[in-house]
Amino acid sequence: MHYGGDYNPEQWEEATWREDVALMREAGVTMVSVGIFAWSRIQPAEGRFDWDWLDTVLDLLHEGGIAADLATATASPPPWATAAYPGMHARDADGSIFWHGSRQHYAPTSPEYRRLAGELVHALAQRYASHPAVVMWHVNNEYGCHLHYDYSDHARDAFRDWLRQRYGSIESLNRAWGTDFWSQRYTDFDQIVPPRKAPYSHNPSGLVDFKRFTSDALLELFTMEKQILREHGATQPVTTNFMGAFPPADYRRWAREIDVITDDNYADPNDPESFRSAAFSRDLMRSLKPGVPWILTEQATSAVNWRPSNAPKAPGQMAALSMQAVARGADGIMFFQWRQSRRGSEKFHSAMLPHAGRQTRTWREVTELGSVLAALPTLPAGPSGARVALIFDWENWWAIGNPDHPVRLDYAHLVQRWYSALHRQHVSVDIRGPEEDLSGYGLVVVPQLYLVSDAAAANLNRYVADGGHLFVSSFTDVVDSDDAFRDGGFTTVLGPILGMRVDDFGALVAPAGPAGVDSAGGALDGPPSPAGPGQRHATVSTPLGPVVGQYFAEELRVLDATVVGTFTDGRSARWPALTTRVSGAGQAHYLATIPDDPGMTTVLRWALDRAVIAPELPGLPECVEVARRGSVLTVINHGAYPVSLSLPGSNLLTGDPLDDVTLAPFAWVMTDQPTLEEK
Ligand code: GLA
């Protein structure tokens, strides 16, 4: 179990480094991520490297028994680099330059950036590949974090090359993009530009391709650095830190290139439900490389500096969120950062060692957590025990986010809400892609999978044919991988197994929220307006009671399915809304709307019942979380009040029975609880 944080010794004098190592030992720190933003200190000028300070830091860490996750330091090129090679700067869609003076201002496809970054990594690998402190390599940092998309001329050229590779001929691109629409037909790849500022909507297929390209271009930077490390004899695992469900990078594809998944997560202490979104990120990370424990590389010990209001974590909350990560497969708990900065943009960001020193609650909680993690037995790497898979797909995210749809949707937020509905019911979930192997799951939940590739269609059909239960909700199976309608209407590739077709989407007025998309809780805004213009929601009768639907009241044509729920109000009253089709041992359900939060819980309880999937533990309140890691169950109270519980087994750390246990706010217990199959 790794414990530590980002370590930025370049911000401090040598005397402080010695104190750092002593205090790290006091806190139980075992590993630090060293020098993530130290490029300008390592390489003060092109061709000149200053190793003395980094030699000393790594030697001091090693003497102190602390391992280094050594950064390749390529995330923030020094001012000398962009001054010498101004073409390195990234540009926005308007053509404005992202200047240096902050970080991540480089164009990922710039040949100068790639050359300079490569030289730096080459030099670092040569010097430290066999340094005994170095146990892992931390490539770059949060690729794409601030600068999701680059529209520079380098990006333009690389995008053209990428399109040449994908399509082979301009004719095939024209076909895929449907460029006869609005006179967009190209006669040469060299006429194509990234989706820069334009008077009106860009070609939607081109937008999706630009996002595919961007994810690939960023990944190429990672693999370039990894290859250099390997060529110079580095044998340690190589990683780059993810950011949960992050739009510009298809982490599912990236995960294949990454030895250990690492993730950064900053749950908002102001949001009482943020533990559920944190749980989603943790399950996503675990699901990206099943069976390989991941590492939480960054979180805050208390407040961050970048929200409008930066609340501190409540006493115990940092440990509760850390144990949540462990419970969901992490073998490392780390923070941004070890020592709070004295200068710079992040001086108000909390750290393991606060600016206010060691007589602080934060330091006490940091050292306590260090001892708890050190006392944990080795935990099983898996399996998660999840019988439910929730489908989450980047390509769909990109396509469904395009403009000009019946109603604007925030896909990631919707998937999170579907996840939360399962989390509230204490059901373990893996987050899978639509083309991944789904055999073994009792229920697969498919929310808003607007874009369904041919491979995904075959996979989902096979899953049901093999006896699985599929739950599909509206605005699914609308387009193919080109973001184009297929022949034959909608629901063309899943329709046969579902026994129905969607004829019309029946958009409702979307719930209020930022930019007209869903509000945080999916709450209804304003009084019901069930009929006529301005209809906001449509009630569905389901076998478990009425459910409020939002966004869509789709018009279904039922072909070969049983109607188990109908719309009961509004313009779609009496129309089918929830259908099911039994095919062999498999079942495929379709819901023609997106429910509000209580409605999601209801319809998923119905689907879980049909698939005979029970909660991990019965009767827990919603503020109590339960997570399975192999045979180990972790139960955490995220609520504001103590909760008395009767749990099976005994406390993994103390051996005490748990049949009558009270969990204070943010308290947790771990218990060994074999799955039914293991029993
Ligand atoms: C990100 C970065 C860190 C730091 C933190 C602050 O996660 O990787 O360098 O800026 O945010 O929360």
Side-chain angles (χ1 to χ4, degrees):
M1 187 64 64
H2 304 289
Y3 189 53
D6 281 18
Y7 183 37
N8 300 308
E10 67 276 12
Q11 295 176 15
W12 304 92
E13 301 301 321
E14 184 166 343
T16 311
W17 305 342
R18 294 174 191 280
E19 186 187 79
D20 282 335
V21 173
L23 293 180
M24 283 175 191
R25 290 174 64 88
E26 186 178 318
V29 167
T30 63
M31 179 168 80
V32 286
S33 306
V34 183
I36 292 176
F37 292 100
W39 189 344
S40 68
R41 274 295 295 273
I42 296 171
Q43 194 181 13
E46 191 167 0
R48 188 148 63 79
F49 292 92
D50 176 2
W51 299 118
D52 289 354
W53 70 277
L54 192 50
D55 288 351
T56 309
V57 166
L58 290 176
D59 291 348
L60 281 174
L61 287 170
H62 185 58
E63 281 159 26
I66 291 159
D69 164 31
L70 184 58
T72 60
T74 52
S76 191
W80 62 253
T82 33
Y85 305 102
M88 257 172 74
H89 288 286
R91 285 179 189 257
D92 70 9
D94 282 4
S96 298
I97 292 180
F98 290 99
W99 291 98
H100 60 244
S102 176
R103 62 177 176 184
Q104 217 179 75
H105 45 283
Y106 60 89
T109 50
S110 146
E112 292 99 349
Y113 170 76
R114 289 185 175 206
R115 177 177 65 76
L116 291 174
E119 284 168 12
L120 174 63
V121 180
H122 168 106
L124 276 160
Q126 261 188 342
R127 191 152 188 105
Y128 298 119
S130 50
H131 193 288
V134 179
V135 299
M136 187 158 78
W137 289 90
H138 180 102
V139 168
N140 200 284
N141 192 64
E142 293 189 343
Y143 276 113
C145 167
H146 308 296
L147 205 130
H148 288 196
Y149 300 104
D150 170 39
Y151 300 83
S152 66
D153 285 352
H154 291 310
R156 176 200 63 196
D157 296 345
F159 185 39
R160 289 172 180 170
D161 287 345
W162 186 93
L163 291 168
R164 279 189 188 96
Q165 283 276 327
R166 182 174 173 87
Y167 292 105
S169 74
I170 197 68
E171 240 342 282
S172 107
L173 177 141
N174 280 318
R175 212 171 316 117
W177 287 19
T179 52
D180 284 323
F181 180 81
W182 285 353
S183 180
Q184 293 170 351
R185 174 164 284 275
Y186 296 99
T187 53
D188 196 306
F189 282 100
D190 284 341
Q191 296 157 357
I192 297 172
V193 287
R196 291 173 175 163
K197 188 174 180 178
Y200 188 43
S201 302
H202 280 281
N203 181 300
S205 314
L207 285 176
V208 174
D209 271 347
F210 185 64
K211 292 181 176 176
R212 289 186 176 119
F213 152 76
T214 296
S215 177
D216 286 357
L218 291 171
L219 178 57
E220 215 174 275
L221 288 183
F222 172 80
T223 51
M224 175 193 88
E225 291 201 17
K226 185 176 178 186
Q227 197 180 332
I228 296 171
L229 291 169
R230 291 284 180 251
E231 278 165 11
H232 290 84
T235 53
Q236 301 89 340
V238 179
T239 191
T240 186
N241 43 345
F242 287 173
M243 290 158 279
F246 176 67
D250 181 346
Y251 286 156
R252 191 165 290 113
R253 295 192 56 193
W254 284 49
R256 299 176 206 146
E257 310 292 336
I258 303 229
D259 298 325
V260 177
I261 302 288
T262 55
D263 192 46
D264 300 346
N265 185 279
Y266 291 89
D268 184 358
N270 272 333
D271 174 3
E273 285 285 294
S274 62
F275 72 93
R276 263 188 253 280
S277 31
F280 172 78
S281 291
R282 321 245 194 256
D283 280 352
L284 175 62
M285 293 305 131
R286 191 202 57 232
S287 305
L288 289 175
K289 248 189 181 354
V292 181
W294 57 281
I295 297 173
L296 178 64
T297 26
E298 286 184 31
Q299 61 171 337
T301 53
S302 190
V304 298
N305 62 294
W306 40 263
R307 291 195 173 101
S309 162
N310 297 300
K313 282 183 173 155
Q317 196 173 12
M318 182 264 281
L321 287 165
S322 302
M323 293 315 297
Q324 178 196 57
V326 172
R328 295 183 183 275
D331 262 4
I333 297 299
M334 302 178 72
F335 298 89
F336 176 83
Q337 59 176 325
W338 159 250
R339 183 187 277 269
Q340 188 168 358
S341 294
R342 208 174 257 194
R343 298 181 170 77
S345 305
E346 294 180 325
K347 59 183 178 296
F348 282 102
H349 197 294
S350 61
M352 298 177 84
L353 179 57
H355 185 63
R358 288 157 71 218
Q359 305 305 321
T360 48
R361 170 168 71 87
T362 294
W363 179 255
R364 277 193 300 280
E365 292 191 24
V366 163
T367 50
E368 268 167 35
L369 181 60
S371 1
V372 167
L373 293 175
L376 284 181
T378 303
L379 296 169
S384 67
R387 304 227 38 239
V388 179
L390 176 67
I391 300 297
F392 177 66
D393 180 47
W394 267 267
E395 297 226 337
N396 179 58
W397 194 357
W398 299 332
I400 207 171
N402 274 340
D404 311 311
H405 286 176
V407 60
R408 286 183 63 181
L409 299 174
D410 181 340
Y411 173 63
H413 182 54
L414 286 170
V415 173
Q416 170 71 59
R417 285 182 48 215
W418 285 103
Y419 173 87
S420 294
L422 293 159
H423 189 272
R424 282 194 293 270
Q425 298 181 70
H426 309 103
V427 171
S428 294
V429 184
D430 287 342
I431 319 285
R432 306 313 303 253
E435 297 181 14
E436 289 190 296
D437 179 17
L438 301 169
S439 59
Y441 293 108
L443 175 67
V444 172
V445 178
V446 183
Q448 287 68 66
L449 194 67
Y450 159 81
L451 181 153
V452 181
S453 69
D454 293 347
N459 191 39
L460 295 170
N461 276 293
R462 191 167 43 243
Y463 167 72
V464 179
D466 290 349
H469 284 225
L470 190 71
F471 177 89
V472 179
S473 121
S474 59
F475 211 53
T476 290
D477 186 7
V478 183
V479 296
D480 63 12
S481 296
D482 293 332
D483 195 6
F485 295 152
R486 289 185 166 93
D487 285 344
F490 307 112
T491 0
T492 51
V493 289
L494 299 180
I497 201 102
L498 290 159
M500 47 61 68
R501 287 294 171 94
V502 171
D503 281 343
D504 194 275
F505 301 105
L508 303 171
V509 177
V517 295
D518 189 24
S519 61
L524 295 174
D525 60 330
S529 56
Q535 184 177 337
R536 294 172 192 279
H537 48 91
T539 311
V540 178
S541 69
T542 77
L544 297 189
V547 156
V548 174
Q550 303 175 319
Y551 298 98
F552 303 102
E554 291 176 335
E555 204 170 319
L556 305 189
R557 192 166 10 121
V558 178
L559 301 170
D560 176 20
T562 308
V563 176
V564 288
T566 51
F567 289 112
T568 57
D569 54 15
R571 62 180 174 237
S572 37
R574 290 179 298 282
W575 293 354
L578 178 61
T579 64
T580 189
R581 180 170 178 273
V582 177
S583 84
Q587 297 189 18
H589 319 302
Y590 189 85
L591 178 66
T593 187
I594 303 176
D596 65 359
D597 286 347
M600 283 186 180
T601 304
T602 303
V603 292
L604 286 178
R605 191 180 316 129
W606 171 78
L608 288 164
D609 286 351
R610 291 190 70 123
V612 200
I613 295 174
E616 286 291 355
L617 292 171
L620 297 179
E622 288 185 0
C623 65
V624 171
E625 166 170 24
V626 56
R628 176 177 290 282
R629 181 169 170 170
S631 59
V632 174
L633 280 186
T634 306
V635 181
I636 308 170
N637 177 14
H638 295 279
Y641 302 99
V643 177
S644 295
L645 302 167
S646 174
L647 301 173
S650 53
N651 188 319
L652 198 65
L653 288 177
T654 62
D656 295 339
L658 295 169
D659 50 350
D660 181 14
V661 63
T662 297
L663 292 182
F666 302 118
W668 56 274
V669 282
M670 268 182 176
T671 165
D672 226 321
Q673 178 62 20
T675 59
L676 286 179
E677 296 92 87
E678 285 160 348
K679 278 182 200 157

